[in-house]
Amino acid sequence: MKHPTGKIPASDNDYSHRCVGNPQEREERPLTDWDRLVRDYGPMVFRTAWRILGHAADTEDVVQEVFLQAHQMAQSEPIHCWQALLRRLAACRALDRLRARRQHAELPEMALASSQPGPEAVLMEQELAHRLRDALTHLPAREAEVFCLRYFEDLAYEEIARHVGISSGAVATALHKARAKLEMHLLNPSQEHA
């Protein structure tokens, strides 16, 4: 897989280097090159959140939340795969933001690519995007995350399994459940689904 900057890092350890702490303690501790992490993975985090939210200001907020949470996590434990962690955090934080927006305000409309010209087709696509976003907020967190990684990020089952930390079979099960619940919600929007 090609890296966002066009280069393939030797490993995620390339983002950390060792420095000597207090000369009396001689304890080594890893430092993370955050500028490089944001430069390399920021666009991926933005795309992941944008595909779920479709709203620039919310997407930018999610990007900041993701890097803040990753920084906090890196303080307590080593991060073995930055790309997987950041993509997963982006999907989870975007879904959280989508759920919060559902309770407080109307979601902005996102026009999907249309093969039919005209305002009626655009309006139908906007309505479908709105209903899909609303339906995603009704899914359990794991199912929503797996669905977004599969259909918004176009990841294979094995990649999703690595990102989420579950088996490929569990990914398939979560996708099946998510699709069934989304279908029920989209076909019967008047019914409240838990």
mmCIF file of all heavy atoms in Angstrom, residues 95-107 130 133-134 137-138 192:
data_model
loop_
_atom_site.group_PDB
_atom_site.id
_atom_site.type_symbol
_atom_site.label_atom_id
_atom_site.label_comp_id
_atom_site.label_asym_id
_atom_site.label_seq_id
_atom_site.Cartn_x
_atom_site.Cartn_y
_atom_site.Cartn_z
ATOM 1 N N LEU A 95 -18.498 9.101 13.591
ATOM 2 C CA LEU A 95 -19.799 8.515 13.942
ATOM 3 C C LEU A 95 -20.345 9.135 15.222
ATOM 4 O O LEU A 95 -21.548 9.391 15.329
ATOM 5 C CB LEU A 95 -19.680 6.998 14.077
ATOM 6 C CG LEU A 95 -19.529 6.250 12.754
ATOM 7 C CD1 LEU A 95 -19.077 4.820 12.987
ATOM 8 C CD2 LEU A 95 -20.824 6.293 11.962
ATOM 9 N N ASP A 96 -19.463 9.385 16.195
ATOM 10 C CA ASP A 96 -19.903 10.052 17.424
ATOM 11 C C ASP A 96 -20.470 11.437 17.101
ATOM 12 O O ASP A 96 -21.509 11.834 17.623
ATOM 13 C CB ASP A 96 -18.734 10.212 18.409
ATOM 14 C CG ASP A 96 -18.292 8.892 19.010
ATOM 15 O OD1 ASP A 96 -19.025 7.894 18.883
ATOM 16 O OD2 ASP A 96 -17.185 8.867 19.596
ATOM 17 N N ARG A 97 -19.775 12.170 16.236
ATOM 18 C CA ARG A 97 -20.212 13.516 15.862
ATOM 19 C C ARG A 97 -21.547 13.438 15.121
ATOM 20 O O ARG A 97 -22.431 14.255 15.331
ATOM 21 C CB ARG A 97 -19.132 14.162 14.993
ATOM 22 C CG ARG A 97 -19.414 15.543 14.470
ATOM 23 C CD ARG A 97 -19.471 16.592 15.559
ATOM 24 N NE ARG A 97 -18.258 16.644 16.346
ATOM 25 C CZ ARG A 97 -17.493 17.692 16.485
ATOM 26 N NH1 ARG A 97 -17.798 18.801 15.853
ATOM 27 N NH2 ARG A 97 -16.436 17.664 17.264
ATOM 28 N N LEU A 98 -21.687 12.437 14.258
ATOM 29 C CA LEU A 98 -22.938 12.268 13.513
ATOM 30 C C LEU A 98 -24.094 11.992 14.469
ATOM 31 O O LEU A 98 -25.174 12.561 14.327
ATOM 32 C CB LEU A 98 -22.770 11.129 12.508
ATOM 33 C CG LEU A 98 -23.834 10.946 11.453
ATOM 34 C CD1 LEU A 98 -23.946 12.186 10.588
ATOM 35 C CD2 LEU A 98 -23.494 9.737 10.592
ATOM 36 N N ARG A 99 -23.857 11.149 15.458
ATOM 37 C CA ARG A 99 -24.903 10.859 16.452
ATOM 38 C C ARG A 99 -25.273 12.110 17.247
ATOM 39 O O ARG A 99 -26.441 12.357 17.523
ATOM 40 C CB ARG A 99 -24.450 9.748 17.389
ATOM 41 C CG ARG A 99 -24.449 8.388 16.750
ATOM 42 C CD ARG A 99 -24.070 7.290 17.734
ATOM 43 N NE ARG A 99 -24.064 6.012 17.068
ATOM 44 C CZ ARG A 99 -22.973 5.363 16.721
ATOM 45 N NH1 ARG A 99 -21.782 5.848 17.004
ATOM 46 N NH2 ARG A 99 -23.051 4.208 16.100
ATOM 47 N N ALA A 100 -24.274 12.892 17.626
ATOM 48 C CA ALA A 100 -24.537 14.114 18.387
ATOM 49 C C ALA A 100 -25.317 15.121 17.539
ATOM 50 O O ALA A 100 -26.234 15.782 18.042
ATOM 51 C CB ALA A 100 -23.227 14.729 18.872
ATOM 52 N N ARG A 101 -24.979 15.242 16.281
ATOM 53 C CA ARG A 101 -25.671 16.190 15.399
ATOM 54 C C ARG A 101 -27.119 15.770 15.189
ATOM 55 O O ARG A 101 -27.995 16.618 15.060
ATOM 56 C CB ARG A 101 -24.950 16.305 14.063
ATOM 57 C CG ARG A 101 -23.656 17.097 14.171
ATOM 58 C CD ARG A 101 -22.982 17.275 12.851
ATOM 59 N NE ARG A 101 -23.830 17.833 11.821
ATOM 60 C CZ ARG A 101 -24.157 19.122 11.713
ATOM 61 N NH1 ARG A 101 -23.703 19.969 12.581
ATOM 62 N NH2 ARG A 101 -24.932 19.527 10.734
ATOM 63 N N ARG A 102 -27.371 14.472 15.169
ATOM 64 C CA ARG A 102 -28.743 13.988 14.971
ATOM 65 C C ARG A 102 -29.654 14.493 16.084
ATOM 66 O O ARG A 102 -30.801 14.833 15.850
ATOM 67 C CB ARG A 102 -28.761 12.463 14.948
ATOM 68 C CG ARG A 102 -30.169 11.898 14.827
ATOM 69 C CD ARG A 102 -30.202 10.428 15.007
ATOM 70 N NE ARG A 102 -29.992 10.148 16.426
ATOM 71 C CZ ARG A 102 -29.951 8.945 16.942
ATOM 72 N NH1 ARG A 102 -30.047 7.908 16.173
ATOM 73 N NH2 ARG A 102 -29.777 8.763 18.220
ATOM 74 N N GLN A 103 -29.104 14.590 17.275
ATOM 75 C CA GLN A 103 -29.915 15.007 18.415
ATOM 76 C C GLN A 103 -30.111 16.518 18.466
ATOM 77 O O GLN A 103 -31.047 16.994 19.080
ATOM 78 C CB GLN A 103 -29.258 14.540 19.707
ATOM 79 C CG GLN A 103 -29.197 13.042 19.814
ATOM 80 C CD GLN A 103 -28.384 12.583 21.010
ATOM 81 O OE1 GLN A 103 -27.977 13.386 21.829
ATOM 82 N NE2 GLN A 103 -28.142 11.290 21.095
ATOM 83 N N HIS A 104 -29.208 17.293 17.835
ATOM 84 C CA HIS A 104 -29.244 18.736 18.025
ATOM 85 C C HIS A 104 -29.699 19.539 16.814
ATOM 86 O O HIS A 104 -30.239 20.614 16.979
ATOM 87 C CB HIS A 104 -27.868 19.246 18.457
ATOM 88 C CG HIS A 104 -27.438 18.659 19.757
ATOM 89 N ND1 HIS A 104 -28.101 18.898 20.935
ATOM 90 C CD2 HIS A 104 -26.426 17.828 20.070
ATOM 91 C CE1 HIS A 104 -27.515 18.248 21.916
ATOM 92 N NE2 HIS A 104 -26.499 17.590 21.426
ATOM 93 N N ALA A 105 -29.412 19.080 15.614
ATOM 94 C CA ALA A 105 -29.730 19.907 14.446
ATOM 95 C C ALA A 105 -29.913 19.042 13.214
ATOM 96 O O ALA A 105 -29.525 17.888 13.186
ATOM 97 C CB ALA A 105 -28.602 20.902 14.200
ATOM 98 N N GLU A 106 -30.447 19.649 12.205
ATOM 99 C CA GLU A 106 -30.609 18.988 10.911
ATOM 100 C C GLU A 106 -29.238 18.738 10.299
ATOM 101 O O GLU A 106 -28.376 19.616 10.330
ATOM 102 C CB GLU A 106 -31.448 19.890 9.999
ATOM 103 C CG GLU A 106 -31.899 19.250 8.724
ATOM 104 C CD GLU A 106 -32.925 18.155 8.945
ATOM 105 O OE1 GLU A 106 -33.574 18.133 9.993
ATOM 106 O OE2 GLU A 106 -33.069 17.316 8.050
ATOM 107 N N LEU A 107 -29.023 17.568 9.751
ATOM 108 C CA LEU A 107 -27.747 17.263 9.103
ATOM 109 C C LEU A 107 -27.645 17.989 7.768
ATOM 110 O O LEU A 107 -28.631 18.106 7.046
ATOM 111 C CB LEU A 107 -27.623 15.756 8.843
ATOM 112 C CG LEU A 107 -27.461 14.882 10.070
ATOM 113 C CD1 LEU A 107 -27.510 13.419 9.648
ATOM 114 C CD2 LEU A 107 -26.159 15.167 10.763
ATOM 115 N N HIS A 130 -29.049 11.921 3.538
ATOM 116 C CA HIS A 130 -29.534 12.303 4.864
ATOM 117 C C HIS A 130 -30.083 11.083 5.607
ATOM 118 O O HIS A 130 -29.770 10.871 6.784
ATOM 119 C CB HIS A 130 -30.613 13.383 4.727
ATOM 120 C CG HIS A 130 -31.288 13.704 6.020
ATOM 121 N ND1 HIS A 130 -30.696 14.467 6.992
ATOM 122 C CD2 HIS A 130 -32.507 13.343 6.508
ATOM 123 C CE1 HIS A 130 -31.512 14.566 8.027
ATOM 124 N NE2 HIS A 130 -32.619 13.898 7.746
ATOM 125 N N ARG A 133 -27.208 8.705 6.659
ATOM 126 C CA ARG A 133 -26.502 9.223 7.845
ATOM 127 C C ARG A 133 -27.331 9.012 9.104
ATOM 128 O O ARG A 133 -26.826 8.626 10.150
ATOM 129 C CB ARG A 133 -26.178 10.696 7.669
ATOM 130 C CG ARG A 133 -25.031 10.934 6.762
ATOM 131 C CD ARG A 133 -24.525 12.363 6.910
ATOM 132 N NE ARG A 133 -23.475 12.585 5.943
ATOM 133 C CZ ARG A 133 -23.631 13.232 4.806
ATOM 134 N NH1 ARG A 133 -24.805 13.746 4.497
ATOM 135 N NH2 ARG A 133 -22.637 13.371 3.977
ATOM 136 N N ASP A 134 -28.622 9.295 9.012
ATOM 137 C CA ASP A 134 -29.500 9.097 10.159
ATOM 138 C C ASP A 134 -29.555 7.620 10.553
ATOM 139 O O ASP A 134 -29.479 7.282 11.735
ATOM 140 C CB ASP A 134 -30.908 9.610 9.841
ATOM 141 C CG ASP A 134 -31.843 9.478 11.030
ATOM 142 O OD1 ASP A 134 -31.513 10.036 12.098
ATOM 143 O OD2 ASP A 134 -32.882 8.799 10.895
ATOM 144 N N THR A 137 -26.619 6.348 12.572
ATOM 145 C CA THR A 137 -26.602 6.714 13.991
ATOM 146 C C THR A 137 -27.386 5.734 14.855
ATOM 147 O O THR A 137 -27.215 5.723 16.070
ATOM 148 C CB THR A 137 -27.151 8.137 14.221
ATOM 149 O OG1 THR A 137 -28.533 8.176 13.864
ATOM 150 C CG2 THR A 137 -26.365 9.165 13.414
ATOM 151 N N HIS A 138 -28.223 4.924 14.234
ATOM 152 C CA HIS A 138 -29.016 3.942 14.973
ATOM 153 C C HIS A 138 -28.288 2.604 15.125
ATOM 154 O O HIS A 138 -28.751 1.749 15.877
ATOM 155 C CB HIS A 138 -30.366 3.708 14.280
ATOM 156 C CG HIS A 138 -31.269 4.894 14.341
ATOM 157 N ND1 HIS A 138 -31.973 5.247 15.464
ATOM 158 C CD2 HIS A 138 -31.558 5.831 13.413
ATOM 159 C CE1 HIS A 138 -32.670 6.339 15.222
ATOM 160 N NE2 HIS A 138 -32.434 6.717 13.979
ATOM 161 N N GLU A 192 -39.174 3.624 14.737
ATOM 162 C CA GLU A 192 -37.973 3.933 15.514
ATOM 163 C C GLU A 192 -37.232 2.628 15.763
ATOM 164 O O GLU A 192 -37.795 1.666 16.270
ATOM 165 C CB GLU A 192 -38.368 4.587 16.848
ATOM 166 C CG GLU A 192 -37.221 5.208 17.579
ATOM 167 C CD GLU A 192 -36.590 6.374 16.819
ATOM 168 O OE1 GLU A 192 -37.316 7.083 16.108
ATOM 169 O OE2 GLU A 192 -35.378 6.567 16.960
#
